[in-house]
Amino acid sequence: MTGTKISLDQACRTLQSGGVVALPTETVYGLAADILNPSAIRQIFQIKKRPLFDPLIVHCSHKSKLRYLCKYTSPIVEKLSEYFHPGPLTLVLPKKSHVSDVITAGSTKVAVRIPDHPLTLSLLEKTDMCVAAPSANLFTKTSPTRAYHVMDTLNVPVLDGGPCSVGIESTILEVNEAQKTLYILRPGIIGINLINHFCQKNHFTDWTIKYKSSTSVPGSISSHYQPDVPLLIFNSKKSDNFSDNVIDIEAQIKELYPGRSPKELKLQEEPWLCARELYHKLRQLSKDPNCVGYIIKNPLFYKNSEEWTAIWDRLEKAAFKTI
Ligand code: TXA
Ligand code: MG
């Protein structure tokens, strides 16, 4: 598959004439179309082979667009946007009637965020558009964090904004005003502690923050982000001797997958760096069709933190199984 690189002006014109364009964001590349053009929105689903029950995130350039897209009364909504936007936080709120049901997959709520990438912000400002944009990959496959990741798999025009700085998808936060609750629907690099800090600092102390099981997100399925080769996660124990572990694991893989070569996917120790390189590393695994990727999950090394929660959420969905 060969997508083509285009300039910012060409990207604006393509969107204005009802086409789709792959755009850089700080999280992953998105496949964008004008929210007011129903046939362009349908193209996104066709190109990604994405089922229509999986709703799309709307991207805009300024918090004033929240009022245009969503219904809310509490000051927490705009404060969240002031504090975290542009950035990797998506807000889910009741939608206004002009936001198409195709975008929200029939839900009365819409997901919105302001992406933190200068090219995409400039495009949204120049066109004065809001665009719906899922990650620019085939459904269930690994999200792209470089322009050529998109061009390798989708035949679409791509605005090249370099490597994504965050590397995993935004945190999705549903704002439930009636329950005074913020529900984390998808973990991301902005975790519960940061959101809690925001609530304390801005005097929203009567709000509760909770994780909601991922099955409650329409598009959440247990297999996602998958590379083209099998990926296995091995839980290692504290007392394990590391090198014995590798020999043992590789022997198990050779027995499970005769003729294939085991390849360890080593994760960086620092979670922000790990997230940034994660999908690139998963794609590199797929380049050797005869390999089986594996990760050793050592509890000593991968400390329990919000960032790691988001990273393991992706890896566990990308993995064929955990042993
Ligand atoms: O970082 C990101 O969020 C990237 C970049 C491109 O912005 N986008 C992204 O989009 O990850 P996508 O479509 O690959 O994942 C969006 C997730 C899906 O699981 C979908 O179900 C959920 O957001 N979502 C979208 N609209 C929703 C809504 N109205 N209510 C609940 N979940 C929603
Ligand atoms: Mg996606």
Side-chain angles (χ1 to χ4, degrees), residues 28 48 50 134-137 141 143 169 186 224-225:
V28 300
K48 271 186 67 95
R50 178 171 171 129
S135 51
N137 51 276
K141 292 294 185 183
S143 306
E169 299 83 352
R186 179 174 68 185
H224 218 132
Y225 317 111

Side-chain angles (χ1 to χ4, degrees), residues 26 60-63 66 77-91 112-116 121 170-171 190:
E26 79 284 28
C60 56
S61 64
H62 192 265
K63 87 169 189 307
L66 288 175
V77 177
E78 292 187 10
K79 272 279 175 221
L80 276 164
S81 181
E82 273 167 34
Y83 196 84
F84 290 108
H85 288 157
L89 181 74
T90 295
L91 300 174
V112 185
R113 82 179 191 99
I114 304 178
D116 190 11
L121 283 174
S170 60
T171 305
I190 295 178

